[in-house]
Amino acid sequence: MPRVTGSPRARSTGTGLAVPGLAHPLMAPAEWAELGRPGAGLRWAAFDVGRGPGSRPDPLYAEVTARVRENGVPLLGTLDAAYGDRPFGELVSDASRYLDWYRVDGFYLHRAPAGRDQAADCHWAVTTLRALLEREPGAGGGSRGSGLVVLGHGVHPHPRYAELADQLVTFAGPWDRYRWSEAPQWTAAHPPSMFVHLVHSVPGLHLDGALRIARWQGAGTVCLTDRGDRGGTDPWSGLPGYWDRLVRAAAQGAADRPPPSM
């Protein structure tokens, strides 16, 4: 039985979906086209051109990201925070290029730090990113004051981080770890909209169970995929084989019952 206790924190609403990355549009044209289709219930989608925004604008990324944005999906530029070791100037430079070249709606800080001692530096980085978003004109010609910042810790960080960003990725890993995972008590003081779970290698048979675990742990946004990471492959480079089923199940919400025995 998964180590989750208490009751679900969002009884009547569905679960939002996130896409933390896709392969280049030449390699995944169908996946990018799917993100541009209305009705998927996406909270955000992140992309990484080449270890960040790349060295020059990529016209294919500009085309597909514009199409996704037209569908109302916030597009986030992926920034590698290197667990807090990334030089601040490099982070800001990459963020500025994302804004100039792809007009992103926010940022996804991959490998964000999680310790208490690093929270102050992370606060300064997030504050600077928000200032960049507010300064740049939005896709509709207005301010980006509502830009989204997501911290991709992959684990539950120190509680201070909940004050810094719009969302925290508090789980990123395989299904065989997720089904025995648990959420610390401090997360109960925050709404499900704060937390994101990214789970790969989820068999189709356990898709509904994974959604119930997310709901009982108070995660309002998920990415679940049957793709794995064997051989060093990136499980987030494409959409899951059961994407349509996931979209329907997330929109309907999980039943108000505990996660199943595994």
Side-chain angles (χ1 to χ4, degrees):
M1 181 74 181
R3 290 176 294 175
V4 284
T5 58
S7 59
R9 300 176 196 168
R11 290 186 179 277
S12 60
T13 60
T15 301
L17 298 178
V19 174
L22 286 178
H24 191 277
L26 284 176
M27 303 297 294
E31 283 87 345
W32 278 103
E34 181 64 25
L35 296 192
R37 182 174 64 87
L42 284 173
R43 299 281 170 82
W44 52 265
F47 69 104
D48 178 358
V49 177
R51 297 182 181 276
S55 58
R56 61 181 61 86
D58 185 319
L60 284 178
Y61 268 108
E63 179 182 346
V64 297
T65 55
R67 193 175 303 127
V68 174
R69 189 182 298 107
E70 288 173 359
N71 186 29
V73 177
L75 263 295
L76 310 184
T78 298
L79 300 170
D80 186 359
Y83 302 113
D85 292 334
R86 181 85 183 276
F88 179 75
E90 290 184 8
L91 201 71
V92 173
S93 178
D94 277 358
S96 296
R97 286 200 291 270
Y98 270 121
L99 285 167
D100 291 342
W101 297 344
Y102 304 109
R103 303 175 69 194
V104 294
D105 304 294
F107 299 103
Y108 172 52
L109 272 68
H110 178 53
R111 300 199 300 168
R116 178 175 182 174
D117 293 343
Q118 299 157 304
D121 288 341
C122 188
H123 177 267
W124 175 243
V126 171
T127 300
T128 303
L129 294 177
R130 291 198 190 281
L132 289 174
L133 288 164
E134 291 171 357
R135 188 178 65 191
E136 294 293 325
S143 170
R144 290 182 184 271
S146 59
L148 187 66
V149 178
V150 179
L151 296 180
H153 311 283
V155 297
H156 282 93
H158 187 274
R160 282 191 62 188
Y161 287 89
E163 305 169 3
L164 308 185
D166 298 289
Q167 288 189 319
L168 310 180
V169 176
T170 54
F171 184 94
W175 165 246
D176 60 3
R177 279 201 294 114
Y178 187 61
R179 62 180 181 172
W180 305 114
S181 64
E182 60 182 345
Q185 188 60 40
W186 68 263
T187 63
H190 300 277
S193 59
M194 170 65 66
F195 302 108
V196 183
H197 290 174
L198 311 177
V199 192
H200 65 75
S201 307
V202 182
L205 180 65
H206 294 296
L207 181 59
D208 291 338
L211 283 169
R212 292 209 301 272
I213 290 172
R215 194 162 183 242
W216 274 70
Q217 290 195 12
T221 305
V222 301
C223 180
L224 307 176
T225 182
D226 51 356
R227 302 168 66 95
D229 61 352
R230 290 186 178 181
T233 59
D234 181 4
W236 316 115
S237 62
L239 297 178
Y242 44 58
W243 173 252
D244 288 339
R245 180 184 160 200
L246 173 60
V247 169
R248 291 193 301 270
Q252 292 169 358
D256 284 338
R257 59 181 185 274
S261 298
M262 302 297 178

